[in-house]
Amino acid sequence: MLLDEDPATLIHHTIGNFNTTPDKIAIGRINESLSTLQQARDLRIGEAEAALKSEPELSRSLTHMSTQHNETLSSHSSMDHASQIVELDTQKFRIAKAASDLEIEGERLEQELEGLKGRLQELDMQGVEGDEAMKAKREIDDPTILKLKVFRSLGIDVEADNAGNYNKAIIRNIQKGDVHVVNIDPKFSRFFYAQYFWQTM
């Protein structure tokens, strides 16, 4: 009969007939999920505790930042802002006026430069001796030039050496077609050379 069998053997057969393997796997999964949920819960609890511990520090930081903000607002009042704008406008006006003055001065200097260039070109065209009016004035003021001009009108050209001494005379006799070159020697008097020049002419 059924009751005559060994209880252990009966229980073993009964367990085998129930097929508890899927249930064991499901229970294992449940335990694993519970463990994961416990870890997540512990992590959230830790974060909450850390936030509670740092709350006084955050409160102090907020108070400090609020104080700085209020000090900044009080230091930059509307009156100060308006005065700064007026000062900047004044500086801008001064800079614009200085730039305008510099531009006007630049135009004046440019005109003066053009005038000087024209004068320089005119002087270059006149040469070292200048124009006719300057030459005439110089001849009137310089006795040596007057003497040379008189000699030239008589047909006598006087040449100077490198030192500026007049020691050579070229006498041209147009009527005779003669040319005489005379080297002037300081040993002879001016009277001697004057007579010689008259005789040669």
Side-chain angles (χ1 to χ4, degrees):
M1 295 185 63
L2 182 62
L3 296 177
D4 294 335
E5 294 183 6
D6 184 19
T9 302
L10 183 61
I11 292 172
H12 180 72
H13 286 295
T14 302
I15 292 173
N17 292 330
F18 277 116
N19 191 15
T20 58
T21 301
D23 295 334
K24 292 180 179 179
I25 294 173
I27 291 172
R29 290 175 180 173
I30 292 171
N31 289 331
E32 189 174 333
S33 299
L34 290 174
S35 176
T36 302
L37 289 174
Q38 183 64 35
Q39 291 177 359
R41 180 174 175 277
D42 293 340
L43 181 61
R44 289 184 179 181
I45 291 173
E47 291 176 352
E49 291 178 351
L52 289 174
K53 290 180 180 179
S54 62
E55 184 177 356
E57 184 177 354
L58 292 175
S59 178
R60 286 193 300 269
S61 298
L62 178 61
T63 302
H64 179 67
M65 292 178 66
S66 298
T67 303
Q68 285 185 341
H69 178 67
N70 293 331
E71 290 178 354
T72 303
L73 291 178
S74 62
S75 62
H76 294 283
S77 62
S78 59
M79 293 290 293
D80 293 339
H81 183 66
S83 63
Q84 288 179 0
I85 291 177
V86 172
E87 184 178 357
L88 290 175
D89 287 340
T90 303
Q91 292 180 358
K92 182 173 68 175
F93 175 76
R94 290 175 181 173
I95 292 173
K97 185 177 183 302
S100 177
D101 293 341
L102 289 175
E103 185 177 359
I104 295 173
E105 181 66 13
E107 293 178 355
R108 186 187 69 80
L109 292 176
E110 186 175 356
Q111 293 177 357
E112 184 176 350
L113 177 61
E114 292 298 327
L116 292 175
K117 286 181 179 179
R119 179 59 179 162
L120 178 61
Q121 185 177 4
E122 182 181 350
L123 292 175
D124 288 339
M125 293 176 62
Q126 292 176 2
V128 179
E129 296 183 356
D131 57 3
E132 296 299 327
M134 293 180 63
K135 290 180 182 178
K137 185 177 184 302
R138 188 164 55 251
E139 290 177 356
I140 294 174
D141 295 338
D142 192 344
T144 302
I145 295 177
L146 289 175
K147 291 178 183 178
L148 292 174
K149 190 173 183 180
V150 172
F151 285 141
R152 192 175 297 113
S153 66
L154 296 173
I156 302 173
D157 291 331
V158 182
E159 295 183 358
D161 58 8
N162 295 331
N165 299 318
Y166 295 96
N167 55 11
K168 181 186 291 185
I170 301 173
I171 305 170
R172 294 180 176 85
N173 191 328
I174 300 176
Q175 296 177 353
K176 297 179 180 180
D178 295 335
V179 177
H180 296 275
V181 179
V182 179
N183 292 319
I184 300 174
D185 193 338
K187 293 186 298 183
F188 300 99
S189 66
R190 295 183 179 179
F191 179 74
F192 169 77
Y193 283 110
Q195 283 187 335
Y196 181 76
F197 289 166
W198 280 115
Q199 291 174 1
T200 305
M201 290 188 298

